[in-house]
Amino acid sequence: MPRFFSRLRAIRSTRINLHARIEELEDRNWELREAEEHARGVLEAQGDLIVRYRGTNITYANEMFCKLSGRSSEELLGSAFGLPVIEEGDAVVLPDGTRIYDQRIAAPDGARWIAWREVMVRVGEGTQMQAVGRDVTDRVQAERELSAARDQAEAANRAKSRFLAMISHEIRTPLGGILGMSDLLLDTALTPEQETYVKAVKTSGDLLLALIDEILDFSKIEAGRLDIDVRAFDLRAMVEETVELIAPRAQEKRLEIASYVEEALPQYVMGDPTRLRQVLLNLAGNAVKFTGRGGLAILADQGGEASRIQLRVRDTGIGIPEPEQGRIFREFEQVDGSLSRRFGGAGLGLAISKRIVERMGGSIAVESTPGVGSTFSISLALPSAAEQRPRTESRPALDAHEVLIVAPTEVSAAPIARQLMDWGARTCLAADEESAQSLLHERTWTGLVVDHALGSEACERLARAACTTERRIVLVTPAERDRIAVLRQAGYSGYLIKPVRRESLAGQMASWKGELDESALDGPRIPAAAPGMAKRRLAVLVAEDNEINALLATSLLTRLGHRPTVVSSGNAAFDACCAAQAAGTPYDLLLMDLHMPGGDGIETVRRIRRLEAERGERRIPIFALTANAYVEDRVASLAAGMDGFLVKPLDRRALLDVLAKIGAAVSSAA
């Protein structure tokens, strides 16, 4: 009996423990179910599609997947169901094995884009493929709409560019006629009143042409079609040529203009000289426009970093208030509205300059004080190209020489002083005759440089006072050449034409103790080819459908002593070339308009080149003649077989240069 009760108590104790264990397991199961429901709720709340596969059979599908498929969970489990795919993108496999791809799915409420991520997951003792899909239909739709909008914008830009190219040609053609005929009219005998009116017409035409060019440049920049042509070029020559181009406008306003390029800089650098010259002309043109007294200078120095060069355009103009300096580089902006009315312009020059400099990898900034002047600085990487071209500049040895420079403004004096100091000379600046006279009596000078801007009488007195000075040089503008003989009689041993070029100054300094070489003083202000024009009359065929432009071209060529023939279409030009060749009197030059009825200029040139190659005939020089200024025209012209490119309105200097080269080639071949 005791044993029986003992066993009964043991059974009762075991039962109690089992009940406790069952309750514990039930609690844990409840917690697990709650956690599972919570996880399921989180997954469902995310809105993602979740499905698992063992092989091709579905082992799990969440509510979103069921909704998209249009089937219940019971129908899907164990089936090999697949969503109907309309379109599928390329798949990408990540390093961890995750596979990512997009599908366009046919759904009950319309097609949907799903972004899938597939990965292997462990389930029990095995693995299954789990795919998580996110509905990205709105995102894809937005991207496609954005892409369509971008395509439309690009198409609009292309249309705008085509329109601008067309309207540029249409505007520049009659404008070229106006400017060209104005030049021809100015070459005739006119009364002072008539000359004033013609000059006013030409000035207005030049301003309109500059405005058109600015708008075209800006449109190309906006369309992303600003091309940078990197090549080796002579930095000093580019700066000095830019100054000489702007000098007539400055001297017309009685402004001084000068340039200086630091001697330590390489002579040849790598960059785009055409675009850089465009920027400098823009800045220098603004300096002339907004400067009423004093002048301007273009300076080039080392930029502090390797291969970096700083170009500065400094003026003594009206200046820019500090609050306005930040917005002058924006499109269609000037310091204030009144300036637009006083000085003219569209406010695009600085915006274009900034875009060009940034496209070349540089930066542009301004420092200015109202009433004192402005300095625009360009910092640009221009690597040396010395390994490609040897330095050709001479360097006078001026050690122990002391030079007094007398000029009313620092603009013209400071660059000359810096250049002489680079060559070893010691210099001193005087701003007026009284200061110069005092300095002349204080010590012995080996050189005296006097700016004729002081006045003729002051210059003559200084020359007489410096009679013991070894070298006496006077600076004159081109319009003051008639004073040179009088200044020589006063005691000057030489003269330099402003703006002074380095090589002209070097020529004077190199002949310090020798006879003066007059040819080194002012160099070729007119194209070197001009003297040779009278040596050879050229037969020139002009293909031009516009009567005004044809008259302009023939008048210019006739005045220069050549024999022009005009045709009005490409086909007529081809026939004229063939006839001249057959008669044994081929043309020496063909000026071909690109856009003509009865035979496009480009195609006509191709026909001429093919015929020359087939017959083995001499290759006639052909230059494109067009009012369009786009790079594409230049590329197409050269690709067709043309030898050069002339932009209308015809620039007389550019035409002179072309005629001189052709004349020299014809003479050497004769």
Side-chain angles (χ1 to χ4, degrees), residues 228-399:
I228 301 298
D229 179 20
V230 177
R231 63 181 186 272
F233 70 95
D234 188 327
L235 176 64
R236 188 184 306 277
M238 187 277 295
V239 170
E240 291 182 342
E241 287 167 6
T242 302
V243 168
E244 289 188 354
L245 283 171
I246 210 76
R249 288 172 54 191
Q251 290 165 351
E252 189 177 349
K253 292 182 67 174
R254 297 187 179 278
L255 299 176
E256 296 296 331
I257 183 167
S259 67
Y260 167 77
V261 178
E262 189 176 2
E263 197 75 10
L265 292 178
Q267 182 179 358
Y268 292 98
V269 296
M270 298 298 297
D272 188 335
T274 303
R275 290 297 181 188
L276 191 52
R277 183 184 290 109
Q278 179 182 354
V279 172
L280 292 177
L281 283 172
N282 244 330
L283 298 178
N286 276 348
V288 172
K289 183 192 296 187
F290 296 111
T291 301
R293 58 178 178 77
L296 66 143
I298 299 180
L299 314 170
D301 309 280
Q302 289 180 323
E305 301 177 22
S307 301
R308 205 152 192 90
I309 292 175
Q310 186 178 55
L311 292 153
R312 289 173 292 149
V313 178
R314 179 180 295 168
D315 66 59
T316 58
I318 60 175
I320 306 166
E322 188 172 352
E324 309 295 335
Q325 294 175 16
R327 69 181 182 90
I328 59 172
F329 293 105
R330 299 175 193 164
E331 296 83 5
F332 308 104
E333 290 279 2
Q334 288 189 339
V335 173
D336 61 50
S338 63
L339 289 182
S340 172
R341 291 187 290 273
R342 278 179 59 199
F343 296 101
L348 279 175
L350 290 178
I352 291 171
S353 298
K354 184 174 187 292
R355 299 284 190 95
I356 291 174
V357 170
E358 290 176 348
R359 179 71 177 81
M360 292 191 290
S363 60
I364 185 170
V366 62
E367 294 179 5
S368 185
T369 303
V372 177
S374 305
T375 299
F376 286 84
S377 302
I378 302 166
S379 179
L380 202 59
L382 297 173
S384 172
E387 67 280 359
Q388 300 182 22
R389 303 190 183 188
R391 178 176 283 274
T392 59
E393 295 174 333
S394 59
R395 179 188 171 93
L398 300 183
D399 296 339

Side-chain angles (χ1 to χ4, degrees), residues 345-576:
L348 279 175
L350 290 178
I352 291 171
S353 298
K354 184 174 187 292
R355 299 284 190 95
I356 291 174
V357 170
E358 290 176 348
R359 179 71 177 81
M360 292 191 290
S363 60
I364 185 170
V366 62
E367 294 179 5
S368 185
T369 303
V372 177
S374 305
T375 299
F376 286 84
S377 302
I378 302 166
S379 179
L380 202 59
L382 297 173
S384 172
E387 67 280 359
Q388 300 182 22
R389 303 190 183 188
R391 178 176 283 274
T392 59
E393 295 174 333
S394 59
R395 179 188 171 93
L398 300 183
D399 296 339
H401 286 285
E402 294 193 1
V403 183
L404 175 62
I405 302 171
V406 189
T409 66
E410 190 181 347
V411 171
S412 59
I416 293 176
R418 290 188 66 181
Q419 188 66 75
L420 294 175
M421 287 190 289
D422 284 346
W423 294 334
R426 292 191 295 274
T427 64
C428 183
L429 303 183
D432 51 47
E433 181 190 358
E434 184 180 354
S435 301
Q437 291 281 9
S438 300
L439 288 168
L440 282 172
H441 292 97
E442 282 182 8
R443 69 175 103 157
T444 302
W445 302 90
T446 53
L448 173 67
V449 178
V450 180
D451 191 340
H452 190 261
L454 285 173
S456 294
E457 294 181 0
C459 289
E460 292 173 24
R461 287 193 293 268
L462 285 172
R464 288 190 288 269
C467 58
T468 59
T469 302
E470 202 170 315
R471 170 69 70 196
R472 297 172 299 282
I473 301 168
V474 64
L475 310 179
V476 296
T477 65
E480 296 168 340
R481 284 176 179 269
D482 59 341
R483 299 293 305 163
I484 292 173
V486 175
L487 292 167
R488 280 192 177 282
Q489 291 176 359
Y492 286 100
S493 54
Y495 69 91
L496 287 168
I497 299 296
K498 297 188 293 184
V500 177
R501 290 172 296 157
R502 179 195 181 279
E503 286 306 303
S504 299
L505 184 61
Q508 282 281 2
M509 299 300 110
S511 59
W512 197 277
K513 294 185 178 181
E515 195 64 32
L516 184 62
D517 179 9
E518 293 289 344
S519 65
L521 295 180
D522 36 343
R525 297 277 162 167
I526 301 171
M533 299 311 300
K535 296 179 182 177
R536 180 87 185 190
R537 291 188 72 203
L538 301 178
V540 183
L541 178 62
V542 180
E544 172 62 74
D545 65 306
N546 182 279
E547 292 183 4
I548 301 298
N549 286 332
L551 177 60
L552 172 60
T554 54
S555 299
L556 272 175
L557 290 166
T558 302
R559 283 173 180 247
L560 294 170
H562 301 290
R563 293 179 288 113
T565 301
V566 177
V567 293
S568 59
S569 70
N571 292 335
F574 180 80
D575 293 340

Side-chain angles (χ1 to χ4, degrees), residues 47 65 77 99 164 183 201 203 245 309 343 367 396 410 445 492 601 604:
F65 187 89
L77 293 179
R99 185 168 175 265
L164 285 170
D183 280 331
V201 170
T203 299
L245 283 171
I309 292 175
F343 296 101
E367 294 179 5
E410 190 181 347
W445 302 90
Y492 286 100
T604 302

